[in-house]
Amino acid sequence: MTELLHNHLGGRWQAGEGPGTTLRDPVLGTDLVRVSSDGLDLAAGFAFARDTGGAALRALTYRQRAALLGEVGKVLAANKAAYYEIATANSGTTQKDSGVDIEGALFTLGQYARWGDTLGNARFLLDGPAVPLSKDGVFRSQHLLAPTRGLALFINAFNFPAWGVWEKAGPALLSGVPVVVKPATVTAWLTQRMVHDVVEAGVLPAGALSIVCGGSAGLLDALQPFDVVSFTGSADTAALLRRHPAFAERSVRLNVEADSLNSALLAPDATPGSAAFELLVGEVAREMTVKSGQKCTAIRRVFVPEALYGAVGEAVAAKLRTTTVGNPRHDGVRMGSLVGRAQWQSVQDGLARLMGQSQALFDGRDVPLVDADPAVAACIGPVLLGCTTPDEADAVHRTEVFGPVATLMSYRSVEQAQALIRRGEGSLVVSVVAEDPAFVGEAALSLADSHGRVHGLTAEVAARHTGHGNVMPQSLHGGPGRAGGGEELGGLRALGFYHRRSAVQAGESALAALAAQAAALPQ
Ligand code: NAP
């Protein structure tokens, strides 16, 4: 039997009961390690995190906690080679794609360490200035942000086992809130190893960082009113969570990052070969193939003017044709596999649904895999679909195929294109690609209410932009509606989720004493 990974709960390593679940190499089909959360005393473990971890973190200042994040980053950086190996084995990703997850985690942690340091020796945050309540201004109201005394539970998706935990743990630990992470089972190994390394290095106070690997049974029952939960995963699981008494009755704060049918819009001023045309084609092909399209931010729907439909389809297909797919250990492979055969089947099923209303402009499923057995490996070539009647199509605006799949659609007017984009019912990100920068500004104002992020692409930023799908810690990550309605990152704005806002009404002198222990939250 393979190694059973241990959980870290209640300040100690604990083995779950029973044989557990086996994690597999999605390319070779071999067994790797096992996880089990059966039989854990979650209530006691959560209490230890709140009482011991939380108290120790809250005793520190923002600057001291920022320094801890810096230490965590050093531990992770020192063990990076092992993380890349685990990612190849358990996620089936190429070195480059593993880097999106692992380097992204380190970069984000580093940013929060730097930003946290600017908050100095404070333990609370001031939310705006004090405003007068009495006519003479002596009696005032000051909004204050205080770290919650609960814990932060992260229920994560399978596609970012490294970044998914640290992009949340950075703001949480900086806020003084202990973390319990429950990674998606299928790729839990990398998260477990990272947490293992950080715990063993002893850089965080006892109880500040815990991990539960395996089934989720009982996790939500162990939550208490001041806890917060950040969920990343499918809309179906999110809907299940929302109905749980922890949220419905005990008002545990819940942040949801879920499915998203992100779009790219090419402006009518583009022509074949123009800067905007080339930017769109490059971005669509990249978004389809990075991490085999298993990115919540990946472009799923591409809207182009009717006259450019054929040219864009051919240009994207030409790029996809050069994408070699197969065993990520092979030097010639540009795209590895999906996380497992179940995900492979789900992508095939999703494609079948979409193909009822669209046609394949390029189908990479016919192309032979490199150094991988198609009967075993969860590898799939990219598929570009096309649809010239997007008004009538429904599935393409509702079905997120979580793999290397996008649908090209033609539009007659900008108004029609924007209406079609909104049929995604709220997305994480939309790219607006144009020759004229003014078009980007106008489209952003029109699409901002239904998107967490608008990525503007013009010739000016062709060599500088950070990529449609890359989540930068400086910018908000999340989206309304179908995307879950959540908000993460966005610089120090992220700290808001882990603090409670309170209005302190008192005299000038009392508020001055309070302000001496607090830092102003940068706007
Ligand atoms: P999932 O099946 O919904 O699982 C997500 C997490 O929820 C896993 O840790 C899973 O644990 C756990 N879970 C399942 N049932 C649960 C329950 N009843 N109670 C508590 N937890 C439960 O999603 P996934 O397949 O891992 O991820 C793919 C989806 O995530 C895609 O739709 C993608 O768009 C979305 N995603 C969104 C973002 C974003 O930031 N918006 C980022 C990444 C992914 P087990 O693994 O043990 O089942």
Side-chain angles (χ1 to χ4, degrees), residues 127-143 503-508 511:
D127 178 13
V131 292
L133 294 179
S134 65
K135 273 190 181 158
D136 61 5
V138 173
F139 189 59
R140 292 169 165 255
S141 174
Q142 169 69 61
H143 285 90
V504 182
Q505 301 182 165
E508 266 179 317
L511 291 182

Side-chain angles (χ1 to χ4, degrees), residues 220-293:
L220 304 179
D221 301 327
L223 293 170
Q224 292 192 357
F226 299 126
D227 295 335
V228 300
V229 176
S230 197
F231 169 80
T232 307
S234 64
D236 289 346
T237 312
L240 264 180
L241 256 64
R242 284 193 165 108
R243 289 195 284 273
H244 191 277
F247 311 105
E249 290 165 22
R250 299 201 289 279
S251 303
V252 168
R253 189 180 276 174
L254 174 65
N255 190 76
V256 172
E257 304 285 349
D259 303 4
S260 179
L261 287 141
N262 314 296
S263 306
L265 170 64
L266 182 63
D269 62 358
T271 51
S274 68
F277 182 95
E278 297 298 335
L279 271 167
L280 176 100
V281 168
E283 208 57 13
V284 170
R286 185 169 47 238
E287 284 296 310
M288 288 178 70
T289 53
V290 171
K291 286 178 72 63
S292 299

Side-chain angles (χ1 to χ4, degrees), residues 155-160 163 182-186 214-216 219-220 231-238 240-241 257-260 295-296 343 400 402 428 477 483 488:
I155 301 178
N156 282 353
F158 64 71
N159 56 340
F160 278 100
W163 176 82
K182 186 261 177 266
T185 298
V186 69
S216 51
L219 274 181
L220 304 179
F231 169 80
T232 307
S234 64
D236 289 346
T237 312
L240 264 180
L241 256 64
E257 304 285 349
D259 303 4
S260 179
K295 265 171 44 257
C296 51
Q343 187 57 22
E400 181 204 45
F402 208 58
L428 295 172
H477 174 58
E488 288 178 355

Side-chain angles (χ1 to χ4, degrees), residues 168-189:
K168 297 181 180 82
L173 294 170
L174 181 58
S175 299
V177 177
V179 165
V180 179
V181 58
K182 186 261 177 266
T185 298
V186 69
T187 56
W189 192 11

